[in-house]
Amino acid sequence: MNTSADFSLTVAGTKVLVSHELVQIGDIHLNPDNPRIRFLIKHRKKGKVMTQAEVLDLIREQAAYPGLQKAIRKAGGLHDPIIIDNAGTVVEGNTRATAIMTLHAGNRSDVRWHKIPAVRLPPDVPERATAMLMAAYHVGGKTVWRPYAQADQLFQLRNVHGWSIEQISDETRLSKGEVQQHLDAYSYLVDEVLPHVTNGDGSEILESKFSHALEFVKRKNLETLRKDPEVRKNVAKLLVEDKIKGMEMRDLDKVLTNKKASTALKKNGFGAARKVLTESDPVAASKLLKQVKGLAAALSKMGQSDITLLKKSAKARAVLAELNEALRSVASVAGLKFGGRNG
């Protein structure tokens, strides 16, 4: 082990003295308590301890792994050191450590893979602090995890390590509201959606449906529906059956409050439900007509200050005249007739 001068690193708001080292690859231990693999370990091994070889295989299954290993091989090593605790367990850099281990196993004579640059934490850094450090790097930092993995780490910080919403917000650069929304979405997926999964371990649902759950828990137009246990159950089933996409969650209230559309959604998905809504209200399918409808409503409630402005300002009257001409032009093309034109 080669060691350079000590320097400081901020961990959970506290500066600690760390050492920059070149560590023998055999002295590095992959961390199974990583959100990107924690769920798989829990469900594949039913909570049993995994060997280092099994953890390595899980990390190599991740979609982004092959590209990272290729980049490290071409570069001849790492640009940035991994972070390890005092005993050598990876705190940040599991995937990069796995790549070096794999390259070493493939060519043990290649000295490039004998050692790995690492920042070693002192022995007095508590686990809850290293958990926060992981979040700082991968939620609020430059190398962000996938959304569900971020939420899993936030859940661990709040419910396992006891960090407050405000503390998590400060370290991850998320607002307090965003932290709570991520926690709510994660809990909804794990506690209410995953129980409906009958095939597989549910990891695909966590990856592909987190954005759906986030839309469901944060949108104000769904607030009343979210309080209904039956609605929550039905939405969970829809997510598992892949009958609704992420952006479609934004219009879920319109579907669920229309009996025919709600039935179509359950049977054939959101596309069928949207068709029902369009047939019952064609204007709803046109973004422009909805805007015109909104403008008409706003004009009908025009305040005295704007009316006074129209009376006094030629420019203000010109705006209204342009609107009038545009409406008459569209009406003419559509074969509609308005009342007599005012001079």
Side-chain angles (χ1 to χ4, degrees):
M1 175 181 68
N2 299 327
T3 305
S4 66
D6 292 345
F7 63 99
S8 64
L9 178 71
T10 300
V11 180
T14 301
K15 285 189 176 182
V16 298
L17 201 62
V18 299
S19 59
H20 195 164
E21 308 172 4
L22 280 175
V23 183
Q24 292 288 342
I25 195 65
D27 294 331
I28 297 294
H29 311 292
L30 298 175
N31 190 350
D33 193 30
N34 176 298
R36 289 192 284 188
I37 59 174
R38 186 159 47 214
F39 177 86
L40 296 175
I41 291 176
K42 177 181 178 181
H43 287 267
R44 290 187 185 182
K45 298 290 286 186
K46 306 301 181 184
K48 297 179 180 178
V49 176
M50 267 192 165
T51 65
Q52 284 286 290
E54 289 174 322
V55 174
L56 184 142
D57 287 341
L58 271 183
I59 294 173
R60 293 179 59 181
E61 288 179 12
Q62 307 304 305
Y65 175 79
L68 178 62
Q69 180 181 310
K70 181 178 180 180
I72 291 173
R73 177 176 55 78
K74 284 188 173 182
L78 302 183
H79 294 298
D80 298 312
I82 65 172
I83 299 176
I84 58 177
D85 67 13
N86 199 253
T89 298
V90 177
V91 173
E92 195 285 314
N94 247 3
T95 308
R96 288 180 293 145
T98 295
I100 298 293
M101 289 176 178
T102 301
L103 291 167
H104 174 65
N107 187 357
R108 294 183 180 277
S109 63
D110 193 331
V111 296
R112 293 178 299 172
W113 320 126
H114 287 181
K115 296 180 179 180
I116 185 168
V119 172
R120 190 186 297 271
L121 300 176
D124 58 348
V125 177
E127 183 180 351
R128 69 190 301 266
T130 60
M132 183 66 88
L133 180 65
M134 291 170 68
Y137 272 96
H138 297 296
V139 178
K142 64 180 181 179
T143 308
V144 296
W145 283 326
R146 294 177 67 85
Y148 90 92
Q150 294 182 40
D152 182 279
Q153 188 68 9
L154 297 180
F155 181 87
Q156 294 290 319
L157 292 175
R158 183 75 184 100
N159 295 283
V160 176
H161 299 294
W163 291 102
S164 70
I165 297 293
E166 184 174 4
Q167 289 170 320
I168 296 171
S169 172
D170 289 341
E171 290 290 330
T172 60
R173 303 178 190 174
L174 297 175
S175 70
K176 288 184 285 186
E178 288 173 326
V179 172
Q180 188 60 60
Q181 288 169 354
H182 277 68
L183 293 173
D184 291 344
Y186 182 80
S187 295
Y188 178 64
L189 275 180
V190 172
D191 298 335
E192 300 181 59
V193 177
L194 290 187
H196 295 287
V197 176
T198 56
N199 297 317
D201 56 24
S203 57
E204 183 179 347
I205 292 292
L206 277 182
E207 289 209 42
S208 64
K209 303 301 181 184
F210 182 79
S211 63
H212 302 61
L214 190 58
E215 288 290 336
F216 182 59
V217 303
K218 76 178 186 180
R219 297 202 68 84
K220 291 183 178 180
N221 60 313
L222 299 177
E223 186 174 1
T224 300
L225 293 170
R226 283 197 299 270
K227 297 176 181 179
D228 187 331
E230 192 64 24
V231 169
R232 296 178 70 90
K233 180 179 178 180
N234 289 335
V235 171
K237 289 181 179 179
L238 290 169
L239 293 181
V240 171
E241 295 168 1
D242 201 27
K243 289 183 176 178
I244 187 167
K245 308 303 180 186
M247 294 294 288
E248 294 170 344
M249 295 292 289
R250 300 180 178 185
D251 295 322
L252 188 60
D253 58 322
K254 299 173 185 176
V255 173
L256 295 182
T257 52
N258 182 301
K259 189 174 181 179
K260 289 185 178 180
S262 182
T263 299
L265 174 63
K266 294 175 183 178
K267 288 184 178 180
N268 300 306
F270 199 88
R274 182 185 285 115
K275 184 177 180 181
V276 171
L277 289 178
T278 301
E279 291 173 350
S280 63
D281 182 9
V283 174
S286 171
K287 182 179 180 180
L288 179 58
L289 287 179
K290 285 192 289 185
Q291 290 174 336
V292 171
K293 189 175 180 179
L295 176 60
L299 287 173
S300 70
K301 299 177 182 178
M302 181 178 285
Q304 187 59 47
S305 61
D306 288 319
I307 293 175
T308 300
L309 182 62
L310 285 170
K311 291 179 178 180
K312 294 182 177 182
S313 171
K315 287 186 176 181
R317 291 194 295 274
V319 171
L320 205 59
E322 288 178 11
L323 176 60
N324 180 51
E325 286 301 317
L327 287 172
R328 289 184 179 280
S329 176
V330 171
S332 176
V333 173
L336 302 175
K337 291 185 178 180
F338 285 167
R341 184 189 298 268
N342 293 325

